[in-house]
Amino acid sequence: MKNLNELKEAIATLIAYNREEERDWMENVAYGKGPDYRRPEYNPALCPGHIYHTIRKLKEFIEQ
């Protein structure tokens, strides 16, 4: 990267490439829960390691 703007452009491209956050979160929560799994209400705090926590931070960075 030559400068901060190029880094921000690269991050913006990565963020735009990602799928829908809520759907990804639901899949992450449901993974391995078996046939009795009940769909919870969307709450990102229940999956602290979910990639969208990082993506939100990157969005804040490129908006500065």
Side-chain angles (χ1 to χ4, degrees):
M1 299 285 153
K2 293 181 182 178
N3 59 46
L4 186 58
N5 286 335
E6 285 186 23
L7 175 60
K8 287 183 176 185
E9 287 175 19
I11 291 171
T13 300
L14 176 66
I15 290 169
Y17 182 77
N18 283 283
R19 299 177 352 176
E20 182 182 321
E21 176 178 351
E22 187 171 343
R23 183 184 65 206
D24 283 354
W25 181 87
M26 290 293 186
E27 290 173 0
N28 190 51
V29 171
Y31 180 74
K33 299 292 185 191
D36 294 332
Y37 169 73
R38 293 183 186 177
R39 184 178 169 149
E41 292 296 316
Y42 176 65
N43 181 353
L46 296 176
C47 291
H50 195 274
I51 189 64
Y52 279 95
H53 296 289
T54 301
I55 291 172
R56 280 193 200 104
K57 290 178 185 177
L58 292 171
K59 283 181 181 180
E60 290 174 11
F61 171 72
I62 65 172
E63 291 170 356
Q64 294 179 359

